[in-house]
Amino acid sequence: MSSTAPIAPRPASSVRAWDATTDVLVVGFGAAGASAAIGAAAAGAEVTVVERAGAPGGASAMAGGEIYLGGGTPVQKACGFEDTAEAMRAFLAAATGPGIDEERLDLYCEGSVEHFTWLADMGVPFKASFCAEPCWEPPGDDGLTYSGGENTWPFNEIAPPAPRAHVPQMSGKKPGRRSGGWKLMEHLSAQCRESGVASMLDGRVVALVSDADGAVAGAVIRRFGEELAVRATKGVVLASGGFGANPDMVALHAPQLCGQMPLGTDGDDGSSIRLGQGAGGFTRRMDAAQTAIPTVPALLYPSIAVNRFGQRFINEDTYAGRVGQAAVFHQGAKVALVMDEAIFESVPEADRWGARPTWAAGSVAELEAEMSLPTGSLQATVSLYNEHAARGCDPVFHKRPEWCRPLRPPFGAIDLSALPYAVFTLGGLVTTVDGEVVGSDGPIPGLFAAGRATSGIPAWGYVSGTSLGDATFFGRRAGRAAARRERRPAART
């Protein structure tokens, strides 16, 4: 079978006997799956989570742990920031669009403070301290930071800015391996155990099982070389991530990402999406993705990012992920970061991610020639930028005054097109706000989905924290909805 094709469900009539039975079967034990399991168990369902790896976590455990929450959480208030659900919604509508799901976004913003309380009640720790330095994630244990350019143009003209990335407190961080996402999963996993959720590790779902009327009745799981048929009397929740680790799906749906570095695990192979498609589920925005620019914000903000024509294309002090999206989807990833020696030396070597100038020169004209840019292009860009930066302003892209300073010789530039952009996919199954997978005739009975397997809050744009926020918030709803569904009698076999 093609690695991009929908995976057709097996008919219940082909199952000789069920090897196990549960009320709700959750596929994937990351933040979305764990939240779905907790939600279903709290609603009184018997729950089993199947995970292809040998332990819970998935891509969620590798994340920086930012959870996008606002509207006036206790941490925001303790750090001296005022926020409202209306301001949060206005920002997210602009930053994650176009094509937002209005109902989904309304519920997410209105329920944000309650969702913070839910996480805190499970013991997820949030330190009431604010990280103001430019970073991908707070390097220490601060619990709040800006993560989406809320305080930069044009968003600071759309809604009152407030930091909303809430980060679980932990020490000894190792970004990309053991950070805030690991701490979040530690608590979600513990809550699953306390809630009586059963787990089936080292198991991979190879097919759903459908009744004669098309309702999803369970799944076939391959584990240690054997296939097990697990009946789900109320529903199956698909939550095993996106498709960044499936190069064939990436080439088919989001070819701009080919050759870039996928973030996540090998389990992000699109299997939940393909299982949902096989059952008749629709997909949406399969070409959408987050693409992190391969540099650190501390270098990006005071520098200027130019395209292959030597022109700026965005305000460099905005969310670095937005700069990456603009670079990949609008500039073909052919981007360079132009700076001077003072900017480069202002960032400690240990914090530069190994970055070194690709080109260096004593004048802008020489640098322009070294970079093989059109004659006069970079000179015009730097001249215009310097003229206004000397007065602390940027009339072209409205960079904040604190990051506007004229570039002075000697100059350098880092060729970002020679470095891999870290990417993950945003498109997936179409669901209702209760996680029901939607097909041509409406919701598919017994089939739910959550997390990056769905098309969720990040419609096209992305903000750090909206993956874990969306996964946990709507994972809970999917689990509760599955648990509320009427238990179906066993199909005849």
Side-chain angles (χ1 to χ4, degrees), residues 97 159 220 233 381 386 389 473:
V220 177
T233 62
T381 295
N386 279 354
F473 186 92

Side-chain angles (χ1 to χ4, degrees), residues 131-191:
C131 176
E133 63 184 277
C135 57
W136 280 108
E137 63 181 82
D141 63 352
D142 293 316
L144 187 67
T145 191
Y146 281 104
S147 70
E150 295 89 342
N151 57 343
T152 67
W153 186 82
F155 306 113
N156 56 8
E157 297 180 357
I158 293 172
R164 301 188 183 96
H166 291 65
V167 187
Q169 183 182 10
M170 69 174 295
S171 58
K173 288 183 177 180
K174 297 179 181 179
R177 290 183 292 165
R178 191 175 184 274
S179 197
W182 183 92
K183 176 60 69 172
L184 172 66
M185 283 306 306
E186 179 183 50
H187 287 274
L188 291 177
S189 301
Q191 186 63 42

Side-chain angles (χ1 to χ4, degrees), residues 84-99:
T84 64
E86 291 75 21
M88 178 183 177
R89 190 200 186 285
F91 167 73
L92 284 176
T96 65

Side-chain angles (χ1 to χ4, degrees), residues 17-402:
W18 296 105
D19 296 290
T21 297
T22 187
D23 288 336
V24 177
L25 178 66
V26 179
V27 182
F29 209 159
S35 298
I38 294 167
E46 180 184 30
V47 185
T48 300
V49 182
V50 58
E51 164 60 44
R52 65 187 296 175
S60 300
M62 300 172 61
E66 292 153 323
I67 308 167
Y68 205 83
L69 302 168
T73 68
V75 171
Q76 286 180 309
K77 292 179 178 179
C79 291
F81 294 99
E82 295 184 2
D83 194 20
T84 64
E86 291 75 21
M88 178 183 177
R89 190 200 186 285
F91 167 73
L92 284 176
T96 65
I100 60 168
D101 183 324
E102 302 279 356
E103 183 182 9
R104 186 181 301 270
L105 191 58
D106 286 345
L107 286 169
Y108 184 64
C109 295
E110 292 165 3
S112 185
V113 173
E114 185 277 334
H115 191 59
F116 173 89
T117 301
W118 181 76
L119 291 165
D121 285 347
M122 286 191 294
V124 181
F126 296 99
K127 184 180 179 181
S129 60
F130 172 64
C131 176
E133 63 184 277
C135 57
W136 280 108
E137 63 181 82
D141 63 352
D142 293 316
L144 187 67
T145 191
Y146 281 104
S147 70
E150 295 89 342
N151 57 343
T152 67
W153 186 82
F155 306 113
N156 56 8
E157 297 180 357
I158 293 172
R164 301 188 183 96
H166 291 65
V167 187
Q169 183 182 10
M170 69 174 295
S171 58
K173 288 183 177 180
K174 297 179 181 179
R177 290 183 292 165
R178 191 175 184 274
S179 197
W182 183 92
K183 176 60 69 172
L184 172 66
M185 283 306 306
E186 179 183 50
H187 287 274
L188 291 177
S189 301
Q191 186 63 42
C192 283
R193 291 192 297 271
E194 292 176 14
S195 300
V197 173
S199 61
M200 184 183 295
L201 304 176
D202 298 301
R204 180 174 182 174
V205 173
V206 295
L208 296 174
V209 177
S210 291
D211 287 343
D213 60 1
V216 172
V220 177
I221 300 166
R222 184 171 294 135
R223 190 166 185 252
F224 304 130
E226 296 183 354
E227 287 193 351
L228 304 173
V230 177
R231 179 174 173 243
T233 62
K234 288 177 173 287
V236 174
V237 183
L238 300 172
S240 63
F243 60 93
N246 184 329
D248 293 333
M249 286 187 73
V250 169
L252 177 64
H253 299 291
Q256 294 95 332
L257 307 184
C258 292
Q260 306 299 350
M261 180 179 68
L263 284 180
T265 71
D266 291 344
D268 296 305
D269 62 358
S271 57
S272 274
I273 297 173
R274 294 169 61 210
L275 288 164
Q277 286 179 302
F282 290 159
T283 58
R284 181 166 52 199
R285 293 188 286 266
M286 294 289 280
D287 58 340
Q290 162 64 339
T291 59
I293 196 164
T295 189
V296 293
L299 281 178
L300 175 65
Y301 288 10
S303 303
I304 60 173
V306 300
N307 59 19
R308 64 187 184 280
F309 306 114
Q311 299 171 331
R312 293 174 70 206
F313 57 92
I314 197 169
N315 48 318
E316 296 84 3
D317 66 333
T318 192
Y319 169 48
R322 182 164 294 103
V323 180
Q325 280 192 323
V328 169
F329 289 104
H330 299 289
Q331 306 298 333
K334 304 297 184 182
V335 169
L337 197 62
V338 177
M339 63 192 68
D340 59 22
E341 185 177 59
I343 290 172
F344 186 75
E345 294 297 333
S346 70
V347 179
E349 183 175 0
D351 297 334
R352 294 179 197 150
W353 287 7
R356 295 180 60 84
T358 310
W359 306 281
S363 71
V364 177
E366 292 171 349
L367 184 64
E368 179 183 86
E370 287 288 327
M371 297 171 69
S372 300
L373 295 173
T375 301
S377 61
L378 186 62
Q379 295 175 71
T381 295
V382 173
S383 176
L384 179 64
Y385 179 80
N386 279 354
E387 176 187 349
H388 295 286
R391 299 193 295 272
C393 64
D394 173 19
V396 180
F397 289 109
H398 310 284
K399 184 187 288 191
R400 288 169 292 170
E402 59 263 39

Side-chain angles (χ1 to χ4, degrees), residues 394-488:
D394 173 19
V396 180
F397 289 109
H398 310 284
K399 184 187 288 191
R400 288 169 292 170
E402 59 263 39
W403 299 110
C404 287
R405 183 185 64 75
L407 304 181
R408 305 297 187 194
F411 303 97
I414 300 173
D415 183 7
L416 299 180
S417 68
L419 301 171
Y421 288 70
V423 303
F424 57 86
T425 58
L426 300 177
L429 296 167
V430 177
T431 61
T432 68
V433 294
D434 287 321
E436 301 162 294
V437 176
V438 176
S440 59
D441 296 323
I444 298 168
L447 187 60
F448 303 81
R452 286 277 61 84
T454 71
S455 177
I457 290 294
W460 177 260
Y462 187 74
V463 174
S464 281
T466 51
S467 277
L468 291 179
D470 179 78
T472 54
F473 186 92
F474 289 101
R476 287 176 65 196
R477 290 184 69 95
R480 291 200 302 262
R484 289 195 302 265
R485 184 168 175 266
E486 182 180 352
R487 183 179 283 106
R488 291 175 62 85

